[in-house]
Amino acid sequence: MNLNYFLFLFLATIGTGISYGQYEFSGYVNTTQWEGEVYLSVVEDYRKVSGVYPEQIIHKVYPDSSGYFKFSGNNLPEENRIYRIHVDSCNESDQTANHFNGHCPNSREIFFVANNKDSLQLPFSFDNEMFCKVVSGNEKAKAFLKIDSLKNDMRFAFGTYRSEANRKINTKKWFKTLQHYGELLNEPLAELYIYSYISDRRNELHTYYLQDIKTSSYYNELLGRLKQNYSESPYTKQYEAEIMSDQFLVNAERRSGIPWWVYVVSCVALVSILGNFYFFGKYKKLKNDIPAVQELLSSQEQKVLDLILKDKSNKEIAAAMFVSVSTVKTHINNLYKKLKVSSRAEAKALFEK
């Protein structure tokens, strides 16, 4: 009986370990250059890959005297996510001002793909360089390092000759190179990392992206891969919303010849006009109903309204009516409801001639 009981506990323990997993992310930092905590973040908004955001940080540890640090636990998502480990030079007193507003002046970070069952090491490379090497059983963990290396090659190619001709040649070449490389990595999250870069309005590739999205099937195919592998993840929902919006804008421009930004401005203007019509109609109707509505006001509420129309403050109204300020506030809330307004300005607008 006791043997069966212990056997049950043993199997349950194994089952629990298999079900929930146990992650372990460890590595080294150069303590002669970096002091203080090492941070672990989960990045579920691929537009916030670069930078430090307080809502992303899930853990922090202090390295030992050799620079070794370790994050471990079993509370991460079971499917792959994008993670960041970083250090920076912020002092404790500067953290509220600088630490969570992008980067401190000096920081080092590394991005990787992992899940709750992964073990990952970040050992020193040559000359005690940190965050340059990933050792993991999850091959996809290294995808971001490979992409960053390719992006550095691209920047070098752009910087060699700064002519317009060189820019055009390299834009198309590196756009396709990055996109194709993402497909070869067989990890949609790595493709999203590339997509967030090539579709960023701040870099050279964005112009070509706007041309490519008009005809290429790649973007819908990427959406299909995301839905297949990460159907319920925030990445998929974010990408689907973005790509549908961009495709609508560029295709509308292609059909009509009108730039996409004109549609945006037009939509804003239309919403503004409709809003004005709505509020104008609302106030016109309320003005027509004022005599009937005023009959619903109590004598005290009517006095309060008269004083509001004379620009009296709550304190002045209370003094004039010999009541407390809280009583005045109660009367104001009641008359707002009866007049169907939400502020003094709206109430006064009803009685303007």
Side-chain angles (χ1 to χ4, degrees):
M1 184 71 176
N2 289 337
L3 181 61
N4 290 336
Y5 176 74
F6 285 116
L7 180 61
F8 170 79
L9 287 180
F10 175 74
L11 292 174
T13 302
I14 294 176
T16 302
I18 293 173
S19 174
Y20 293 102
Q22 174 81 21
Y23 74 89
E24 183 176 298
F25 308 149
S26 61
Y28 287 88
V29 296
N30 190 329
T31 54
T32 61
Q33 296 178 336
W34 306 98
E35 297 179 356
E37 301 103 322
V38 182
Y39 296 88
L40 173 66
S41 301
V42 57
V43 182
E44 294 193 317
D45 179 347
Y46 56 80
R47 293 293 178 189
K48 292 183 177 180
V49 170
S50 181
V52 177
Y53 300 88
E55 70 272 15
Q56 295 178 345
I57 295 176
I58 56 175
H59 202 6
K60 65 179 180 180
V61 296
Y62 282 93
D64 64 19
S65 58
S66 69
Y68 177 78
F69 66 88
K70 182 174 76 172
F71 298 100
S72 62
N74 61 2
N75 59 335
L76 300 184
E78 293 299 315
E79 64 180 15
N80 283 343
R81 287 287 191 272
I82 301 171
Y83 292 93
R84 175 201 299 112
I85 288 178
H86 87 274
V87 293
D88 58 46
S89 60
C90 271
N91 296 320
E92 192 76 26
S93 59
D94 293 333
Q95 288 194 355
T96 54
N98 300 320
H99 190 247
F100 298 135
N101 296 326
H103 281 308
C104 291
N106 295 301
S107 65
R108 288 291 299 274
E109 62 189 4
I110 186 168
F111 302 99
F112 54 90
V113 174
N115 59 57
N116 194 49
K117 298 179 182 179
D118 281 343
S119 293
L120 177 142
Q121 294 83 42
L122 305 173
F124 283 131
S125 58
F126 58 91
D127 293 333
N128 279 349
E129 281 294 316
M130 58 189 233
F131 297 173
C132 294
K133 184 178 181 181
V134 175
V135 178
S136 175
N138 184 347
E139 281 300 312
K140 296 178 180 180
K142 307 172 186 179
F144 286 74
L145 273 182
K146 295 177 181 178
I147 294 168
D148 285 339
S149 177
L150 196 61
K151 284 162 63 177
N152 286 333
D153 291 342
M154 183 199 75
R155 293 187 185 101
F156 178 79
F158 271 99
T160 304
Y161 301 102
R162 296 185 176 274
S163 66
E164 181 66 16
N166 182 64
R167 186 188 68 80
K168 288 181 178 179
I169 291 172
N170 277 295
T171 295
K172 183 175 182 179
K173 170 190 171 183
W174 284 102
F175 184 94
K176 289 299 183 184
T177 299
L178 284 167
Q179 206 173 67
H180 180 61
Y181 188 67
E183 290 184 89
L184 293 177
L185 291 172
N186 194 31
E187 172 50 65
L189 298 186
E191 292 186 80
L192 272 187
Y193 184 49
I194 292 172
Y195 167 77
S196 69
Y197 179 71
I198 63 178
S199 62
D200 190 331
R201 300 177 189 278
R202 295 169 295 182
N203 77 51
E204 295 277 355
L205 302 180
H206 181 258
T207 302
Y208 193 82
Y209 161 73
L210 292 178
Q211 297 298 318
D212 191 58
I213 199 175
K214 295 177 182 179
T215 56
S216 176
S217 62
Y218 168 81
Y219 305 95
N220 290 333
E221 291 168 0
L222 173 54
L223 179 59
R225 289 190 286 274
L226 283 166
K227 287 184 175 181
Q228 181 179 357
N229 292 277
Y230 303 101
S231 59
E232 299 301 321
S233 81
Y235 305 118
T236 303
K237 296 173 184 177
Q238 180 184 2
Y239 175 77
E240 184 172 21
E242 283 190 12
I243 206 66
M244 288 179 65
S245 174
D246 285 352
Q247 286 175 337
F248 171 79
L249 290 173
V250 297
N251 287 327
E253 177 182 343
R254 183 175 59 175
R255 288 192 298 269
S256 65
I258 301 173
W260 63 267
W261 57 267
V262 174
Y263 286 93
V264 176
V265 173
S266 300
C267 288
V268 172
L270 180 60
V271 170
S272 177
I273 292 170
L274 291 175
N276 287 334
F277 273 119
Y278 169 76
F279 288 111
F280 176 77
K282 173 185 173 183
Y283 283 120
K284 185 176 180 181
K285 183 178 184 303
L286 284 173
K287 281 190 173 186
N288 292 335
D289 294 341
I290 282 176
V293 172
Q294 280 188 290
E295 291 180 3
L296 299 176
L297 300 180
S298 67
S299 59
Q300 291 292 83
E301 290 166 355
Q302 184 62 58
K303 290 178 183 178
V304 171
L305 176 60
D306 291 339
L307 292 169
I308 286 176
L309 297 178
K310 294 178 182 178
D311 291 325
K312 300 297 182 181
S313 67
N314 287 356
K315 190 174 181 180
E316 290 172 327
I317 295 173
M321 296 179 62
F322 302 102
V323 296
S324 67
V325 173
S326 62
T327 300
V328 171
K329 290 180 179 178
T330 300
H331 288 318
I332 290 175
N333 287 333
N334 290 336
L335 71 89
Y336 279 0
K337 291 177 183 177
K338 293 177 182 179
L339 294 176
K340 298 181 181 179
V341 297
S342 58
S343 68
R344 286 172 176 255
E346 291 182 6
K348 290 167 68 176
L350 291 177
F351 295 88
E352 290 177 352
K353 295 182 180 180

